[in-house]
Amino acid sequence: KAGVTQTPRYLIKTRGQQVTLSCSPISGHRSVSWYQQTPGQGLQFLFEYFSETQRNKGNFPGRFSGRQFSNSRSEMNVSTLELGDSALYLCASSLAPDTQYFGPGTRLTVL
Amino acid sequence: SQQGEEDPQALSIQEGENATMNCSYKTSINNLQWYRQNSGRGLVHLILIRSNEREKHSGRLRVTLDTSKKSSSLLITASRAADTASYFCATDTDDYKLSFGAGTTVTVRA
């Protein structure tokens, strides 16, 4: 089976812009989670979707949002970008509530 | 805030030596997992240990879990250059929601 794919892999934006990242889960996986990784805060949970519904959300401002489509693909959106949003954004999919399989990540740089 | 804390933050060993890293966490868990990350790439799942297990092996990996002390350790035996990476422990604070430690960076010298 193909693994989790994320697009784009790299992105450069300027402050105030918005960005959309995409994640395609492993075939058959209906749960998709998003994480932000920064040198200062480490890996932090953003949100989790299952069957197009957000089931869980981390402590991030409302500028961070996501959605999931009927084919389980997911997107996350960050509006009004700030310098501190520069990070590696990781998507993970899972079949059961234990092991999560991660994609290669999208490296976002905000200038 | 992070649930887990890893120790040490960094580790440098010679090829062939063993590497041990520890993870402590704060709240009760269903399971604990270890992941590897190579140079800012995605995380690779290594091993999962459930709260009712004390020890688990997978190839050159050995994981222990002590729920009374809220701690776990990961041992990599006979390390190789390819083991150079960051290692993270993760606990499930909620279904499908993982809380990660800060990670241990392991460098294996040839």
Side-chain angles (χ1 to χ4, degrees), chain A residues 31-44:
Chain A
S31 169
V32 174
S33 300
W34 289 89
Y35 294 84
Q36 181 198 63
Q37 185 177 28
T38 60
Q41 299 297 317
L43 278 152
Q44 296 190 91

Side-chain angles (χ1 to χ4, degrees), chain B residues 32-65:
Chain B
L32 184 143
Q33 307 177 52
W34 286 88
Y35 286 83
R36 184 186 74 225
Q37 185 177 40
N38 291 87
S39 194
R41 296 183 184 176
L43 298 166
V44 174
H45 183 261
L46 295 176
I47 194 165
L48 178 151
I49 185 165
R50 302 198 184 279
S51 60
N52 61 354
E53 297 175 310
R54 292 296 168 258
E55 188 170 313
K56 202 161 182 181
H57 296 254
S58 177
R60 294 183 297 112
L61 305 179
R62 172 179 168 253
V63 170
T64 63
L65 179 64

Side-chain angles (χ1 to χ4, degrees), chain A residues 20-65:
Chain A
T20 300
L21 313 182
S22 181
C23 171
S24 292
I26 293 171
S27 177
H29 288 192
R30 294 167 66 188
S31 169
V32 174
S33 300
W34 289 89
Y35 294 84
Q36 181 198 63
Q37 185 177 28
T38 60
Q41 299 297 317
L43 278 152
Q44 296 190 91
F45 173 80
L46 279 157
F47 27 65
E48 186 254 346
Y49 287 86
F50 182 88
S51 290
E52 303 178 66
T53 300
Q54 185 184 90
R55 293 197 298 190
N56 222 329
K57 190 176 190 302
N59 294 327
F60 279 82
R63 300 185 297 105
F64 291 81
S65 63

Side-chain angles (χ1 to χ4, degrees), chain A residues 3-4 6 26 35 37 43 88 90-93 98-105, chain B residues 6 21 32-48 58 60-61 63 74 76 82-90 98 100 104:
Chain A
V4 177
Q6 292 186 245
I26 293 171
Y35 294 84
Q37 185 177 28
L43 278 152
L88 181 66
L90 293 163
C91 162
S93 74
D98 43 43
T99 304
Q100 295 191 8
Y101 298 88
F102 284 79
Chain B
E6 272 125 318
M21 58 211 87
L32 184 143
Q33 307 177 52
W34 286 88
Y35 286 83
R36 184 186 74 225
Q37 185 177 40
N38 291 87
S39 194
R41 296 183 184 176
L43 298 166
V44 174
H45 183 261
L46 295 176
I47 194 165
L48 178 151
S58 177
R60 294 183 297 112
L61 305 179
V63 170
L74 171 68
I76 305 172
D83 295 328
T84 294
S86 292
Y87 293 82
F88 296 89
C89 69
L98 294 178
F100 286 86
T104 294

Side-chain angles (χ1 to χ4, degrees), chain B:
Chain B
S1 62
Q2 292 175 321
Q3 155 86 311
E5 293 297 330
E6 272 125 318
D7 171 61
Q9 288 187 327
L11 188 56
S12 180
I13 55 174
Q14 203 73 29
E15 209 165 19
E17 292 180 337
N18 296 342
T20 301
M21 58 211 87
N22 304 295
C23 166
S24 60
Y25 56 92
K26 298 171 187 172
T27 63
S28 61
I29 59 172
N30 293 320
N31 60 63
L32 184 143
Q33 307 177 52
W34 286 88
Y35 286 83
R36 184 186 74 225
Q37 185 177 40
N38 291 87
S39 194
R41 296 183 184 176
L43 298 166
V44 174
H45 183 261
L46 295 176
I47 194 165
L48 178 151
I49 185 165
R50 302 198 184 279
S51 60
N52 61 354
E53 297 175 310
R54 292 296 168 258
E55 188 170 313
K56 202 161 182 181
H57 296 254
S58 177
R60 294 183 297 112
L61 305 179
R62 172 179 168 253
V63 170
T64 63
L65 179 64
D66 186 334
T67 52
S68 66
K69 293 181 180 177
K70 291 188 169 60
S71 69
S72 173
S73 69
L74 171 68
L75 167 68
I76 305 172
T77 60
S79 63
R80 306 166 181 168
D83 295 328
T84 294
S86 292
Y87 293 82
F88 296 89
C89 69
T91 55
D92 59 335
T93 51
D94 255 318
D95 279 351
Y96 300 96
K97 176 182 178 181
L98 294 178
S99 183
F100 286 86
T104 294
T105 300
V106 175
T107 303
V108 180
R109 306 186 308 272

